[in-house]
Amino acid sequence: MRTVLVTGTGGAGRTTVAAATALAAAREGRRTLLLTADPDGTPEALLGIGALRPAQGPAADRLPWSVPVQVTPGLWAARIVTDHWFRDELTALQERGRGALDMVGAAPLDGEELAALPGMDSFALLRALRMAQAAPPGTGWDVLVVDMPPAPEAVGLLALPGQLRRYLRRLLPAERQAARALRPMLAQLAGVPMPTQKLYETAERWEGELAAVQDVIDSEATTVRLVVDPGPLADRALRAARAGLALHGCRVEAVIANRLLPAATADPWLAALSGQQQDALKELYEQWAPAVPVRELPHLGRDPQGLGDRPAGDAGGAPDPEGAGAARPAGLDALAEAVGAPPPLPDRPAADPWTVEDRLAADGILLWRLPLPGADRDTLALVRRGDELIVTVGAFHRVLTLPSALRRCTVSGAGLRDGSLQVRFTPDPDLWPRGF
């Protein structure tokens, strides 16, 4: 299944572009699901459909999104329902731990009094990614389009599974489960209770769920579309987003320049705004193309309202000069045509860009290349900690496990060149195999 994550700068029209992307995929005959977390009814207005409502029925059968509504042949839309998902999860957790709660005299919380805690939106979205991929063959979707939060939040969300897995491995190492027979004795010696087998089983279940989500994020079939409203203030935010996504191995498939005003106009106020957009658009092409396509979406004058929507007074649509007088698409259909469907996967998997170059013979070093396009040297920091390299790029942070060969080396320097962080490692004589 192709997964397209749509994010970008704040207020750039991510939901509109996500809907247009999903519509473009459906127009190609692919079964497409548009998932959104937008709570204010914008997706329904864009698509011209009724309210997206949570499913009713047994909690065990309830997914973390609302009942999918068919918009047009091949396209369904659903909303991630954090409150219902959180209520179901916590209710099920109370049921599993009822015996322990009864022992301490705790009163379980009723479902009606539960409300999602801050930060639960991220977990519900990640769970939705996992569940969409877990559909049985022949019953799922060909394309999943996800309307993500703004870029800084989206990068943090995509980094979450890896961070939580690392915390679990540090706090509850799997190898310690082998010593569970010794826990009663260790508890007596230490004077504190040791972790129970139940805790390790829970951690193992969480590890499995997080690993499955990480597989979706790391998959070749998962790509990102970055949406920007071209302007001088958006450039820095887009650079930071590009660096953060690259740090976590997320591949940007396209940059969408949204709400472009007409370039030719006699109105001086509108001409100034359009000129500012064109200057920013030129910068986008210089920074991204041709490696990443830049696609231009026109400003429609107002938000689209349903498929084929046309402004008042334009019921017939403007004729297409290349279509023998046929009316051009309007509304969301026009945006879908301009934004295009996600491209198919390449025949061969892409080569791993995080490569280690052997330069021992020439320079006596190993060079680890980490692609970080958009990174700023002034906001870049590196820390070596044991077998890990901690990389910080602006507000984004990642702990990387060193390849086995580099663990026997010391860091001798680093540099940022042509959008790539190049870290130099020198073999440690005390650790490197004899004969070097």
Side-chain angles (χ1 to χ4, degrees):
M1 183 179 73
R2 283 286 275 111
T3 301
V4 183
L5 310 176
V6 181
T7 183
T9 56
R14 300 181 313 279
T15 302
T16 301
V17 171
T21 299
L23 179 59
R27 292 281 194 250
E28 290 190 348
R30 293 189 273 179
R31 284 174 53 86
T32 304
L33 175 64
L34 171 65
L35 270 184
T36 179
D38 194 313
D40 63 4
T42 299
E44 290 95 327
L46 287 171
L47 298 168
I49 58 176
L52 300 172
R53 302 187 181 281
Q56 303 296 323
D61 298 331
R62 191 173 296 164
L63 295 170
W65 55 73
S66 63
V67 178
V69 173
Q70 186 167 13
V71 181
T72 191
L75 174 60
W76 286 260
R79 171 176 285 113
I80 297 171
V81 283
T82 303
D83 279 341
H84 287 74
W85 171 79
F86 177 79
R87 189 176 300 129
D88 292 344
E89 289 292 311
L90 193 54
T91 300
L93 182 62
Q94 287 185 146
E95 286 298 320
R96 289 196 297 268
R98 180 174 293 277
L101 293 174
D102 290 342
M103 288 179 61
V104 298
L109 297 166
D110 293 329
E112 291 75 14
E113 62 180 312
L114 295 174
L117 299 174
M120 289 297 106
D121 290 344
S122 297
F123 289 97
L125 196 153
L126 291 173
R127 183 62 182 272
L129 282 177
R130 164 80 176 103
M131 295 298 293
Q133 292 279 350
T139 63
W141 316 97
D142 301 319
V143 179
L144 173 68
V145 180
V146 186
D147 177 19
M148 300 284 286
E153 298 172 38
V155 175
L157 187 153
L158 297 173
L160 191 57
Q163 291 172 339
L164 292 179
R165 293 178 71 193
R166 181 172 180 271
Y167 297 160
L168 282 174
R169 288 193 295 266
R170 289 290 298 275
L171 296 174
L172 293 169
E175 57 270 18
R176 293 187 185 175
Q177 296 186 51
R180 59 181 177 269
L182 301 176
R183 286 193 195 116
M185 181 181 67
L186 293 174
Q188 292 181 356
L189 294 174
V192 294
M194 293 290 106
T196 65
Q197 182 62 21
K198 196 78 172 178
L199 181 59
Y200 279 102
E201 291 172 355
T202 301
E204 186 177 358
R205 184 169 62 250
W206 287 350
E207 164 68 22
E209 287 287 330
L210 291 169
V213 176
Q214 190 69 57
D215 287 343
V216 176
I217 296 171
D218 294 340
S219 170
E220 286 278 328
T222 299
T223 56
V224 177
R225 289 191 167 189
L226 274 177
V227 186
V228 60
D229 193 346
L233 299 180
D235 178 65
R236 179 175 296 180
L238 204 62
R239 285 175 179 264
R242 185 180 192 183
L245 289 167
L247 178 64
H248 292 286
C250 301
R251 183 167 63 91
V252 177
E253 169 229 310
V255 175
I256 313 298
N258 195 23
R259 299 175 183 151
L260 292 175
L261 298 169
T265 175
D267 186 321
W269 183 82
L270 191 60
L273 289 178
S274 176
Q276 182 175 271
Q277 282 191 336
Q278 290 302 313
D279 291 341
L281 190 60
K282 181 181 177 182
E283 290 287 333
L284 284 180
Y285 276 101
E286 290 176 353
Q287 293 171 20
W288 293 86
V292 177
V294 177
R295 295 179 181 155
E296 303 178 23
L297 297 192
H299 201 305
L300 299 178
R302 63 181 176 89
D303 291 333
Q305 299 175 7
L307 309 187
D309 169 54
R310 298 182 184 279
D314 187 31
D320 183 354
E322 299 180 0
R328 289 197 299 259
L332 199 62
D333 289 273
L335 297 182
E337 186 176 272
V339 77
L345 295 176
D347 295 334
R348 297 180 180 179
D352 183 8
W354 297 49
T355 57
V356 177
E357 181 182 347
D358 185 347
R359 290 168 51 176
L360 292 174
D363 304 316
I365 65 169
L366 297 173
L367 191 67
W368 197 17
R369 299 179 187 275
L370 310 176
L372 292 177
D376 186 344
R377 186 177 282 101
D378 294 335
T379 63
L380 186 63
L382 295 175
V383 175
R384 168 77 181 269
R385 183 185 179 280
D387 291 341
E388 297 174 331
L389 187 68
I390 304 172
V391 184
T392 300
V393 182
F396 308 117
H397 180 85
R398 186 177 183 185
V399 180
L400 298 169
T401 301
L402 293 174
S404 57
L406 301 185
R407 298 174 195 174
R408 301 190 294 273
C409 301
T410 58
V411 177
S412 54
L416 185 64
R417 297 183 182 87
D418 301 323
S420 177
L421 174 62
Q422 302 179 12
V423 189
R424 299 184 296 277
F425 289 81
T426 302
D428 185 336
D430 295 331
L431 301 175
W432 198 254
R434 297 288 183 181
F436 164 66

